[in-house]
Amino acid sequence: MSTTLLDLLSLVNPDVLAAVRHTRQVTGAALLALAQQLADAAAIQEAYRALPAAEKAFMDRLLLRGSDWAAGLQIELVGLELAEPDTPPALSDQFRYLPSLTRANSRRFGDIYARLLAAGLVFTIEPSYFSPQPLDFSPGRMLCVPAEVQRALPRPDLDLKLIEDSAISGRRLARAEFSCLRFFALWEQVSRQPIRRTVQGSLRRVDVRKAGRALVMGGQAWNDQEIVELTEFYVTVAAHLGILDDGPDLLNSHPAPAVFKLSQPALLQAALAVRFQAQPPGPDGSIIEAGAQSLAAQKVQTELLRFLQTLPQNAWISFDSFSQSVRRLAPELLRTRAQQAMGAGWNIHEQPLIADFIRGALHWLAACDVALDSSGDLVAFRLLPEGLAALLADQAPTRPEPGLIVVQPTFQIIALPPLALDMLCQLSDFANLTRLAEAPEFKLTKESLYRAAQAGYSLDQVIETLQRWSRSALPGNVQREMEEWAGRHARITLRRSAPLLQAASEALLDELLADRALAPFFGERLAPTVVELTTDEAHRPAQLWQTLVNRGELAMQMDAEAPTGGWRVTAEGEVRSVAALPDPLWLPVLQKVAAPAADANAPPGTVWTITPEKVRALADKNSSAAPYLVQLQKLVRSPLPADLIQRIERWARPPETAQIGQVILLRVSVAETATNLLADRSLRGALRPLPGADGSWLVVKEEALPRVRARLAAWEVTVTEGTWG
């Protein structure tokens, strides 16, 4: 006679079973000992292997899913004729069991549940045994399989179809490095060209496609539909991670995403967490306001992730066979049987949800490779051990030291792994991303250095950063060309607050006025280096700027709104304008953070210096420099020097004082002599004990030193002079 589930449960020590049934009388200290008296694990495993197919399927379903609703378990037990319902079902076609309030004492259900609990096969909360009270099942209580049991019992046999690697076509391979790099690529692309919204609020498809093409790694070929799916996933997750800012009219890049400082596994874990909570852009294109997914969908994804851990890895698994295995082990994964009978079937509702989760979040976050057919449907997938482990790790590893960059004589910059996304963000401030690959490639250009100058970077800062990251000097031709480019940036400044052009010298402005291509843009010459600009539609500032570019001049553009940037700050605390003539709109901020400085080689108002008085004036009540640093950061987009930040934080604190002086100390070999000296009336006020020292140390007033010497001589005490070190 074959072993049954009841036989398996009968292996539990009856004394333990009785104690479990009366567990309300068991003290907390006895619970651990009670758990240790469970039936022998080897005996349970042997009986488990011998279970009939139907009963083993029930246990497999419970073990693989990890948790289930109490009512669902009751249905399974009744269906296997292992138990009888306390009340008959109302409708046999749509069977559901309404639990009785007294079933905890029912021999039909109470014993079975008690045996399941005592055997450690199910529990009300994982992983602790007997907490809360194991027989206290209210309607809807969730039953769980402890993790210890899942590890101890044999892995259930799954009816999965494995496919040979040679038979797979349409494969899409995933790599964790690429998954993280795409977040940077999206940030970089959107910082250059924000994603616009239509009048209805949806994202413009042309901008989405442009952003999507920036996410395609070198050597990959995807169709338009795949690019849109990829972009929508990354846009949704990036908006919730703080990489993108979702505004009413534009989707723009956040200036400094905090998640870019995370390690690669930590970033992927954060992305999966927000993906569970976020939903893709709806028909109206909304992201942040779209709300959370239904709790049911989140539960399904969590259950699927747990189930996937039991599957073979590094092997191609047929998706259809996987879907049917899930259906067999978790028939009510998302909807009840009654809901499935009345509505769309499993293949219409549950199966697409599972496919979207695998080919979407898990694939994009490097947990699996996927294979698609010609229609783009999921055919097979292959779990990647390292990727899946990184997503499920309890604690993400710390970020390793970033790799080097290589600056080539062709002005190409190659960033070598391991990559730090915050470092790539700073690199993109003064170099153009040209190729997204395992080792991203950038290029230094005249325009990229101009962009850096607009952001407040000096040429010295750019060169120092490149040399520090490459740990070597720059190629000679690269540095010379950069110096030539930078030398032309500040020669001409265009104003938008007032339509003016200022040249670095009178001779340069003479050249510009003599240029026939530029003449239509100019009005009256207001000063030797300043000319008024025309304001008609035919001669806009953008056209003037482009005409200057054609002439070889990159003019500094100062916006009327006084945007962040326009100044650079040195480690010595010097604040210097990147333009020849600072915009007066900066004056209120400058006066708060710095004082004017004289520089014979610079125009008036272009050089300021940071002082302790300015820092203390903006420090908050806790003597924090944060308010001051916020104001200073408005002037410059490039990172502030670390030494300068430390000095500012020191200045924000109240001034500290110190005093240096000298005292005369007397040390006697016999403590009684010191006592007699203090008691001597002729020496009153001349001596005092040294605080914190023993009785042989005294402090002597300088003017009383001759009297102390005389008294010691009278007592025939030998006196020597010296210092203690």
Side-chain angles (χ1 to χ4, degrees), residues 19 23 25-26 28 139 144 208-209 233 245 257 261 318 435 449 502 509 537 584 625 633 647-648 723:
T23 189
Q25 284 75 46
V26 178
C144 301
V208 171
R209 282 193 291 270
F233 172 82
D245 291 331
K261 296 182 181 296
S318 163
R435 185 171 183 268
L449 282 188
Q502 181 180 15
L509 184 55
E537 290 293 323
Q633 198 70 64
R647 191 180 311 123
I648 290 173
T723 59

Side-chain angles (χ1 to χ4, degrees), residues 476-488:
N477 68 308
V478 172
Q479 183 163 343
R480 286 192 299 272
E481 197 70 18
M482 290 172 64
E483 291 170 350
E484 171 65 22
W485 291 340
R488 306 185 70 84

Side-chain angles (χ1 to χ4, degrees), residues 25 52 96 164 194 200 250 258 385 462 471 569 572 606:
Q25 284 75 46
R96 65 190 183 93
E164 292 292 334
Q200 294 77 20
L250 290 174
V462 174
R471 300 178 192 172
V569 181
E572 293 72 28
T606 59

Side-chain angles (χ1 to χ4, degrees), residues 267-281:
L267 176 57
L268 295 179
Q269 287 182 2
L272 181 64
V274 300
R275 181 61 184 87
F276 276 178
Q277 302 169 4
Q279 66 182 25

